[in-house]
Amino acid sequence: MDAPDSIATLQQIAERNQVWSRMAAKYGVENPVPPWKTSLDGLCDALDKAACGPEVLTFKERRDEEDALSATVYADLPYPENQLMALAHSLVARGVIDEAELQQRLTAIRARLEA
């Protein structure tokens, strides 16, 4: 991946600063680990072991991109939010998921959470 281009959907999420520590405190949750962290770890493990072609990240590419994006584009977010955003960024940048589909999925998730 060359210089990281901004992805509007992800930038909006980062700007909202809805990080787990703040959300957990707001809703009285004591678990310091976000509920989505296990799914993130599983997805990273699956990508690391997959041989899906150049559009999907190798382990080294994923970690290098995660480090670069976490230190630049998503530097204001804490871990593991910056890891999640870096992975989403890499997958959108590589065309694994397009930004419109990402936005649709996020909208559906938000609707379920607010129901």
Side-chain angles (χ1 to χ4, degrees):
M1 187 173 87
D2 297 324
D5 294 325
S6 178
I7 296 173
T9 299
L10 297 176
Q11 192 61 40
Q12 291 167 358
I13 292 169
E15 289 170 0
R16 279 199 309 262
N17 197 29
Q18 289 182 315
V19 298
W20 177 246
S21 59
R22 287 185 56 230
M23 301 310 294
K26 179 179 178 179
Y27 293 103
V29 177
E30 295 179 14
N31 188 346
V33 179
W36 46 262
K37 179 65 169 109
T38 302
S39 296
L40 174 61
D41 291 342
L43 179 58
C44 289
D45 288 347
L47 285 170
D48 293 346
K49 291 177 176 52
C52 301
E55 71 278 0
V56 178
L57 304 163
T58 66
F59 172 77
K60 182 174 180 350
E61 291 168 332
R62 182 182 67 76
R63 288 306 313 270
D64 288 350
E65 288 182 16
E66 178 184 320
D67 291 345
L69 289 164
S70 294
T72 57
V73 178
Y74 304 110
D76 291 339
L77 295 174
Y79 176 84
E81 282 85 348
N82 59 7
Q83 179 188 20
L84 175 64
M85 296 293 282
L87 179 60
H89 189 120
S90 294
L91 295 176
V92 170
R94 291 172 177 273
V96 175
I97 183 171
D98 68 26
E99 191 171 358
E101 184 179 0
L102 175 63
Q103 183 59 54
Q104 288 173 332
R105 290 180 184 208
L106 291 169
T107 299
I109 291 167
R110 180 164 297 281
R112 283 196 313 265
L113 290 172
E114 293 176 349

